[in-house]
Amino acid sequence: MDGGGRLARSVRRQRLRSDLRAAAIGVVVLLRERRERGRRARIARRQERTKSPHRFIAFLETYAPPRVGVLFTALVLLGSVSLGIVKGGHLEEVTTALSDARNAVANVAGFRITNVAISGRKQLTHDEVLAIGGVTGRSSLLFLDAATVRDKLKANPWIADATVLKLYPGQLTIDITERSAFARWQLQGRLAVIADDGAVLEPYVARRFASLPLVVGKGAETHCKDFIALLQRYPQVNSVVMAAVYVGERRWNLRLRNGLDIRLPENEVGNALATLSKLDAEDRLLSRDIVAVDMRLPDRLTVRLSEDAAKAREELFNKDKKTKKKAGDA
């Protein structure tokens, strides 16, 4: 029995050694095959990168994770859509739609503008102020940019300054300082209403501005404030003035309602107006049959008669001359 047991153990040890040897050989073979596959794959990737005209794309295909390709594709599609919107001229429409959607959500959340208080307006209506500021029925107080509304208001020529306040959850307060219509300005046949600082407020259409002084010529809009103030100090002259014409951007002429032209000097305008007012009060100069009064020279005043007045004067002069001649002959 002892000999049989030793034999059996010896056989088992031989089998175990054989199994271990076979397993080791198998592991070595597997490692070699795996290493060879890796080597062949690297060679194939290098060859593929060499063949591809776009190395960056080849690099991404080789080393980037699978989801990066999906993300990159999404970015390309988004860029293409954005480019199409811009090139097609739909950017403003898309922006407006996104803004309306955002405001709609805010309005539902309780930030709807329920009360708008506007102070300081005279010429502009309540709705005109809101339209100028870009405030609509879809606007929400949450996403309303007060600075942007203020800039839009100040860009309007009628509005000199503006203050915009947001009072949550739904009140908007707007305080504006309006410019006042000061005069009508004519340039190259076009009439406009201007403020005292020369800002053009609007084309002259509304008849409510018909009583404003009329100034004509280049530069008249920015120089008329002081001149009109000076002219108003002489109501006898001012009451018959139809227009003040700025000549050569350096001096003024007055066109009266009866067609008479008054050519004022470049300097000492106040003295010239005072003299004109005195002559009219004493001699009714401005209602005589004359067409022009030239006051440009400081030491003299020149009057040009109308054609009828000049003809009558010439006839009277000739008549007096003949009378004197007859008297001399006698």
Side-chain angles (χ1 to χ4, degrees):
M1 290 292 295
D2 293 337
R6 286 194 298 269
L7 180 60
R9 285 194 297 271
S10 176
V11 171
R12 285 197 297 270
R13 283 196 297 269
Q14 289 178 357
R15 288 178 178 176
L16 179 60
R17 283 195 294 268
S18 298
D19 292 341
L20 290 174
R21 189 181 300 111
I25 293 172
V27 169
V28 171
V29 171
L30 289 175
L31 288 175
R32 287 179 177 176
E33 290 180 355
R34 186 172 182 180
R35 188 166 60 250
E36 185 62 24
R37 285 198 301 269
R39 188 179 66 83
R40 288 197 298 267
R42 286 194 297 272
I43 293 173
R45 287 195 295 266
R46 283 197 296 269
Q47 292 175 347
E48 197 65 30
R49 287 200 303 270
T50 303
K51 293 178 181 179
S52 175
H54 303 287
R55 298 199 170 193
F56 177 70
I57 296 176
F59 176 81
L60 290 178
E61 291 175 347
T62 304
Y63 295 103
R67 296 183 182 275
V68 172
V70 177
L71 179 60
F72 183 74
T73 303
L75 291 175
V76 171
L77 291 175
L78 180 61
S80 300
V81 171
S82 301
L83 182 61
I85 290 173
V86 173
K87 290 245 180 196
H90 305 295
L91 181 60
E92 185 176 354
E93 297 176 9
V94 173
T95 303
T96 301
L98 292 175
S99 178
D100 289 345
R102 180 182 64 175
N103 285 323
V105 173
N107 288 336
V108 171
F111 294 100
R112 182 182 299 276
I113 299 176
T114 57
N115 183 31
V116 180
I118 301 177
S119 59
R121 63 179 183 85
K122 296 177 182 178
Q123 299 292 338
L124 299 173
T125 66
H126 186 277
D127 291 340
E128 285 175 337
V129 173
L130 292 180
I132 293 169
V135 181
T136 67
R138 298 185 297 272
S139 301
S140 67
L141 197 67
L142 182 63
F143 293 113
L144 186 72
D145 189 342
T148 300
V149 175
R150 180 175 181 270
D151 291 341
K152 289 181 178 179
L153 290 172
K154 290 186 65 177
N156 185 276
W158 276 106
I159 300 176
D161 199 5
T163 301
V164 180
L165 296 176
K166 300 196 301 181
L167 304 176
Y168 288 100
Q171 182 172 344
L172 181 65
T173 301
I174 300 175
D175 181 24
I176 64 174
T177 301
E178 281 190 356
R179 289 185 173 93
S180 298
F182 179 72
R184 295 170 296 156
W185 174 44
Q186 178 179 318
L187 181 66
Q188 297 178 350
R190 297 181 180 180
L191 272 173
V193 180
I194 61 173
D196 58 2
D197 60 357
V200 177
L201 302 178
E202 62 179 51
Y204 174 64
V205 177
R207 300 300 301 172
R208 69 179 186 272
F209 299 122
S211 61
L212 294 177
L214 174 62
V215 295
V216 182
K218 183 179 179 181
E221 78 283 12
T222 55
H223 290 82
C224 66
K225 180 179 179 181
D226 293 338
F227 178 74
I228 290 177
L230 179 63
L231 185 60
Q232 288 174 345
R233 292 169 55 184
Y234 303 93
Q236 191 163 346
V237 178
N238 186 47
S239 62
V240 294
V241 171
M242 182 179 70
V245 182
Y246 200 46
V247 181
E249 298 187 57
R250 58 186 181 85
R251 67 173 192 85
W252 293 91
N253 283 351
L254 298 178
R255 170 62 64 91
L256 305 190
R257 300 184 191 280
N258 61 1
L260 176 60
D261 282 328
I262 310 295
R263 299 167 185 172
L264 296 173
E266 185 174 351
N267 301 311
E268 303 295 336
V269 182
N271 292 338
L273 291 173
T275 300
L276 195 64
S277 182
K278 181 180 179 181
L279 290 173
D280 187 59
E282 295 176 352
D283 301 323
R284 301 183 61 82
L285 176 67
L286 302 181
S287 58
R288 288 181 177 272
D289 194 7
I290 56 179
V291 294
V293 177
D294 194 341
M295 307 181 73
R296 290 177 291 178
L297 298 177
D299 58 343
R300 73 189 67 178
L301 181 148
T302 304
V303 175
R304 184 158 65 90
L305 300 175
S306 67
E307 290 184 4
D308 291 340
K311 185 177 180 180
R313 184 176 183 278
E314 185 178 358
E315 290 176 353
L316 181 61
F317 176 77
N318 291 333
K319 183 178 180 180
D320 289 344
K321 188 175 180 181
K322 290 180 180 179
T323 302
K324 289 180 181 180
K325 183 176 181 181
K326 289 180 180 179
D329 293 340

